[in-house]
Amino acid sequence: MAAVLVNLAMEGSAGGRPYAGLRDDALAEAFCVDLSDGMRRRLLSVKDAGARLFAVAGALRPVFEADDDGAAAAILNRLMCDYAARPCLFVDSGQPYHLHFLGDGETDVEALAAELAVSLALLMDAFARRRFGVCHARTCDRVYVDVTRNGSRLYCSDACSARMKMAEYRARSRGKRKTL
Ligand SMILES: [Zn+2]
């Protein structure tokens, strides 16, 4: 969810094409599309939800861009503090108790921001290192979260992975032709 928000909001390049980034209502609508009904209603009822989500995306992007694990951890520690993340047991209908880390922020958007920061921190905790970053493909700066078994993800999408494999293949073929 953190990667989705950053990728929707931030201007840059996506899979080799310029991407303008979404703002305001367009950002709020796009981000909420895949959320549960309850969460969508809560977020969309927040005044200036889109602007607030944009601010959260801007705060999260440096976590993905951090040069090393230490830098990522330092940013996450600050964000969990800024968004006042706090553990709290919840029970939803038909679900067992589970732990959330919603923040004590001004609105439900900042509460969610705390949860997103904690989720990324828990990923670092579970894997003892970062499992998120910026796409390694040329001309793409979208971010990703890596939940693969061996932590080998380098690209934001299958499309970027395929594009780079094709580029490598072409480069190798050119090299071979030169040595013949
Ligand atoms: Zn990419």
Side-chain angles (χ1 to χ4, degrees), residues 133-137 140-144 154-157 160 163:
V134 179
C135 184
H136 284 58
C140 181
D141 65 2
R142 303 295 89 184
V143 302
Y144 64 85
L154 292 172
Y155 304 108
C156 71
S157 61
C160 272
R163 211 155 38 83

Side-chain angles (χ1 to χ4, degrees), residues 65-78:
E65 288 174 336
D67 287 335
D68 54 43
D69 293 357
I75 300 168
L76 283 173
N77 282 340
R78 187 168 45 72

Side-chain angles (χ1 to χ4, degrees), residues 65-106:
E65 288 174 336
D67 287 335
D68 54 43
D69 293 357
I75 300 168
L76 283 173
N77 282 340
R78 187 168 45 72
L79 289 179
M80 288 189 285
C81 206
D82 287 353
Y83 288 123
R86 81 192 147 86
C88 192
L89 280 166
F90 278 86
V91 63
D92 301 328
S93 55
Q95 298 246 339
Y97 273 98
H98 53 279
L99 204 55
H100 277 288
F101 294 87
L102 294 172
D104 263 341
E106 209 176 322

Side-chain angles (χ1 to χ4, degrees), residues 8-19:
L8 285 172
M10 297 287 108
E11 182 185 359
S13 50
R17 291 196 188 88
Y19 177 75

